[in-house]
Amino acid sequence: MLKSDPNITRTQLREYGFANCPAVPVAERQTAIYLAIRVMLMIYCSAEAHSANILEHGLNPIIWLADAPFSTFVEEAFSNSRSSKKARYQKQPESNQMKKGCPNQVSAAGDLRSHLKSDVKTGAVDIFHHAEFLKEHLRLTKDESKILTVAESLRPGSLPRQLALEVLDRIQKILSLFRIQSLDRSSLG
């Protein structure tokens, strides 16, 4: 239903998506919806009250409001205008900020929104490590002659093309920084 109608709200999806299964409790419906979003977009999502277990693992799920269309939720999930909190983890918007000081280590990020999040205490940077996932999303829209809106990208089940391209580009730049740094170290030794 998310593909066929990207403007469906969470409430509509919960009700219409499970119309043939009225005995399924609301909590299980919500869980099924969030797992589908996790698979489709590689982000953690929750309702207004999210699980303490998710928070304990350092994940910050984005909230899909009950009356918000799915396409709006996706736009907000990946918008650059999200407010970032000054905390242990900070979002680094550009990989070329790291040219001044290459990070001490790289950690694998399973949530696409955590890409380039840095731990200021340890100097580690999270890199989204599912490059094939991004490449597959690019393959879904490779024949499109125009720039697609978020809703148009979601119909074939794809992330917005520009988002996938930017993340792949940043992954490549960061990995090349590490290659250059390791070459510099090996030539000194």
Side-chain angles (χ1 to χ4, degrees):
M1 290 185 88
L2 294 172
K3 289 181 184 181
S4 62
D5 184 7
N7 292 315
I8 193 168
T9 66
R10 183 170 54 90
T11 302
Q12 291 169 332
L13 181 61
R14 189 183 67 221
E15 298 307 316
Y16 303 135
F18 295 89
N20 295 334
C21 309
V24 176
V26 172
E28 288 182 26
R29 293 177 186 195
Q30 296 289 81
T31 301
I33 290 169
Y34 300 139
L35 286 173
I37 291 171
R38 174 82 179 122
V39 169
M40 185 176 178
L41 302 175
M42 290 295 221
I43 61 172
Y44 291 103
C45 168
S46 75
E48 289 79 6
H50 31 277
S51 164
N53 189 29
I54 291 175
L55 293 175
E56 285 175 14
H57 285 90
L59 304 172
N60 187 15
I62 186 165
I63 297 171
W64 183 9
L65 299 175
D67 61 344
F70 180 58
S71 58
T72 302
F73 162 74
V74 173
E75 284 178 35
E76 290 174 0
F78 296 111
S79 79
N80 290 331
S81 61
R82 289 189 313 260
S83 61
S84 61
K85 297 176 183 172
K86 291 254 180 186
R88 180 174 175 188
Y89 292 96
Q90 292 180 322
K91 188 76 172 171
Q92 289 198 7
E94 296 295 332
S95 62
N96 48 348
Q97 285 181 347
M98 292 187 288
K99 286 182 182 174
K100 295 177 184 172
C102 201
N104 296 332
Q105 70 184 76
V106 172
S107 301
D111 185 325
L112 185 54
R113 294 180 321 119
S114 295
H115 180 64
L116 295 183
K117 187 183 283 185
S118 66
D119 183 332
V120 294
K121 186 176 178 182
T122 65
V125 174
D126 292 339
I127 305 291
F128 183 71
H129 65 99
H130 298 290
E132 284 303 316
F133 171 82
L134 296 169
K135 290 176 186 176
E136 188 58 35
H137 281 260
L138 289 174
R139 285 183 199 106
L140 288 171
T141 57
K142 71 177 181 178
D143 295 329
E144 292 295 328
S145 60
K146 63 175 184 145
I147 296 176
L148 301 176
T149 65
V150 172
E152 290 169 336
S153 293
L154 292 171
R155 281 200 177 86
S158 174
L159 288 169
R161 188 169 179 79
Q162 189 61 34
L163 173 68
L165 287 169
E166 286 175 15
V167 173
L168 282 170
D169 180 62
R170 290 176 181 172
I171 291 170
Q172 183 179 17
K173 286 178 181 174
I174 290 167
L175 293 178
S176 63
L177 281 174
F178 271 103
R179 253 184 256 119
I180 291 168
Q181 185 182 37
S182 66
L183 289 173
D184 288 345
R185 286 183 186 159
S186 65
S187 67
L188 294 173

